[in-house]
Amino acid sequence: MSAEAMVRDYYEALRRGEPLAPYFAERPDVVKFGVGERLDGYDEIAEGLREQSRVTDDWTVESHDLRVTERDDWGWFSDEVRMSWTQRGTDYDFETRWSGTLERRSDEWLFVGMHVSAPVETGGDD
Protein backbone atom coordinates (compact mmCIF):
# COMPACT_ATOMS: atom_id res chain seq x y z
CA MET A 1 0.00 0.00 0.00
CA SER A 2 1.31 3.46 -0.82
CA ALA A 3 1.58 6.19 1.80
CA GLU A 4 -1.27 8.06 0.09
CA ALA A 5 -3.50 4.98 0.15
CA MET A 6 -2.76 4.56 3.86
CA VAL A 7 -3.77 8.16 4.65
CA ARG A 8 -6.99 7.71 2.67
CA ASP A 9 -7.62 4.41 4.46
CA TYR A 10 -7.19 6.19 7.81
CA TYR A 11 -9.82 8.75 6.78
CA GLU A 12 -12.19 5.92 5.84
CA ALA A 13 -11.57 4.10 9.14
CA LEU A 14 -12.37 7.34 10.99
CA ARG A 15 -15.64 7.67 9.04
CA ARG A 16 -16.61 4.09 9.87
CA GLY A 17 -15.67 4.30 13.55
CA GLU A 18 -13.03 1.58 13.20
CA PRO A 19 -9.92 1.34 15.43
CA LEU A 20 -7.37 4.03 14.51
CA ALA A 21 -4.40 3.10 16.71
CA PRO A 22 -3.09 0.48 14.24
CA TYR A 23 -2.24 3.35 11.85
CA PHE A 24 0.38 4.67 14.31
CA ALA A 25 3.86 3.29 14.96
CA GLU A 26 4.17 1.54 18.32
CA ARG A 27 6.92 3.83 19.54
CA PRO A 28 7.29 6.01 22.64
CA ASP A 29 8.23 9.06 20.52
CA VAL A 30 5.19 9.09 18.22
CA VAL A 31 2.97 12.16 18.68
CA LYS A 32 -0.54 13.18 17.61
CA PHE A 33 -1.89 16.70 17.92
CA GLY A 34 -5.65 16.95 17.50
CA VAL A 35 -7.94 19.96 17.40
CA GLY A 36 -8.07 19.95 21.19
CA GLU A 37 -5.35 17.65 22.51
CA ARG A 38 -1.78 16.43 22.37
CA LEU A 39 -1.11 12.72 22.72
CA ASP A 40 2.46 11.46 23.26
CA GLY A 41 3.59 7.89 22.72
CA TYR A 42 1.73 4.99 21.21
CA ASP A 43 -0.06 3.98 24.43
CA GLU A 44 -1.47 7.47 25.01
CA ILE A 45 -2.48 7.79 21.35
CA ALA A 46 -4.18 4.38 21.39
CA GLU A 47 -6.12 5.24 24.56
CA GLY A 48 -7.08 8.70 23.26
CA LEU A 49 -8.33 7.27 19.97
CA ARG A 50 -10.31 4.51 21.74
CA GLU A 51 -11.99 7.14 23.91
CA GLN A 52 -12.68 9.32 20.85
CA SER A 53 -14.35 6.38 19.10
CA ARG A 54 -16.36 5.57 22.21
CA VAL A 55 -17.89 9.05 22.62
CA THR A 56 -18.29 10.18 18.99
CA ASP A 57 -20.24 9.10 15.92
CA ASP A 58 -21.55 10.31 12.55
CA TRP A 59 -18.12 11.32 11.25
CA THR A 60 -17.70 13.24 8.03
CA VAL A 61 -14.15 13.47 6.68
CA GLU A 62 -13.80 15.33 3.36
CA SER A 63 -10.28 15.66 1.97
CA HIS A 64 -9.76 18.71 -0.25
CA ASP A 65 -6.03 18.93 -1.00
CA LEU A 66 -4.17 15.75 -0.02
CA ARG A 67 -0.47 15.86 -0.90
CA VAL A 68 1.75 12.92 -0.03
CA THR A 69 5.46 12.40 -0.66
CA GLU A 70 7.33 9.13 -0.22
CA ARG A 71 11.12 8.78 0.10
CA ASP A 72 12.53 5.32 0.78
CA ASP A 73 11.28 4.55 4.30
CA TRP A 74 9.90 8.03 5.12
CA GLY A 75 7.00 10.10 3.89
CA TRP A 76 5.02 13.18 4.75
CA PHE A 77 1.58 14.53 3.97
CA SER A 78 -0.59 17.61 4.20
CA ASP A 79 -4.28 18.14 3.56
CA GLU A 80 -7.21 20.46 4.08
CA VAL A 81 -10.05 18.43 5.58
CA ARG A 82 -13.60 19.29 6.53
CA MET A 83 -14.51 17.10 9.42
CA SER A 84 -17.64 16.90 11.50
CA TRP A 85 -18.97 14.55 14.14
CA THR A 86 -21.45 14.23 16.97
CA GLN A 87 -20.21 13.92 20.54
CA ARG A 88 -22.66 13.38 23.40
CA GLY A 89 -25.47 15.07 21.47
CA THR A 90 -23.43 18.06 20.30
CA ASP A 91 -22.50 18.52 16.64
CA TYR A 92 -19.01 19.74 15.72
CA ASP A 93 -17.86 20.93 12.29
CA PHE A 94 -14.38 22.22 11.42
CA GLU A 95 -12.35 23.13 8.37
CA THR A 96 -9.02 21.68 9.45
CA ARG A 97 -5.42 21.44 8.33
CA TRP A 98 -3.62 18.11 8.60
CA SER A 99 0.06 17.30 8.31
CA GLY A 100 2.24 14.47 9.40
CA THR A 101 5.19 12.18 9.00
CA LEU A 102 5.06 8.52 8.06
CA GLU A 103 7.50 5.65 8.39
CA ARG A 104 7.53 2.53 6.22
CA ARG A 105 7.79 -0.76 8.08
CA SER A 106 8.05 -3.66 5.64
CA ASP A 107 5.15 -3.07 3.24
CA GLU A 108 3.07 -0.84 5.51
CA TRP A 109 3.13 2.86 6.28
CA LEU A 110 2.53 4.14 9.82
CA PHE A 111 2.15 7.61 11.28
CA VAL A 112 5.01 8.74 13.52
CA GLY A 113 3.63 12.26 13.78
CA MET A 114 0.27 13.83 13.03
CA HIS A 115 -0.97 17.38 13.49
CA VAL A 116 -4.60 18.40 13.03
CA SER A 117 -5.52 22.03 13.62
CA ALA A 118 -8.33 24.44 12.93
CA PRO A 119 -7.62 28.00 11.75
CA VAL A 120 -8.35 30.68 14.31
CA GLU A 121 -10.87 33.32 13.30
CA THR A 122 -9.28 36.66 14.13
CA GLY A 123 -12.23 38.83 13.18
CA GLY A 124 -9.95 41.62 11.97
CA ASP A 125 -7.78 42.51 9.06
CA ASP A 126 -4.68 40.37 8.74
Side-chain angles (χ1 to χ4, degrees):
M1 173 183 298
S2 70
E4 179 176 346
M6 187 280 266
V7 173
R8 292 187 186 282
D9 195 55
Y10 180 85
Y11 292 167
E12 189 57 37
L14 180 55
R15 286 183 199 102
R16 292 188 304 249
E18 295 176 355
L20 300 173
Y23 291 88
F24 289 84
E26 291 189 43
R27 297 168 39 155
D29 59 348
V30 65
V31 64
K32 179 187 177 293
F33 290 92
V35 172
E37 82 281 336
R38 174 189 170 131
L39 304 171
D40 291 302
Y42 179 80
D43 292 340
E44 193 171 303
I45 291 170
E47 178 56 33
L49 290 171
R50 274 192 298 275
E51 178 65 9
Q52 172 184 292
S53 294
R54 188 181 72 76
V55 300
T56 63
D57 51 67
D58 298 326
W59 279 87
T60 298
V61 181
E62 297 172 348
S63 170
H64 296 290
D65 193 21
L66 180 60
R67 298 171 189 207
V68 182
T69 302
E70 293 180 22
R71 296 285 190 267
D72 298 320
D73 292 336
W74 294 96
W76 55 93
F77 78 100
S78 67
D79 201 356
E80 295 178 19
V81 178
R82 177 182 165 257
M83 55 188 223
S84 63
W85 66 93
T86 301
Q87 182 173 350
R88 297 183 176 119
T90 301
D91 293 331
Y92 295 88
D93 195 324
F94 293 94
E95 293 294 334
T96 60
R97 302 170 293 201
W98 293 49
S99 63
T101 307
L102 305 107
E103 178 181 54
R104 186 191 331 242
R105 298 251 175 114
S106 300
D107 288 334
E108 95 181 321
W109 287 94
L110 298 169
F111 295 117
V112 292
M114 178 186 286
H115 188 117
V116 178
S117 62
V120 175
E121 300 281 332
T122 61
D125 295 330
D126 292 326

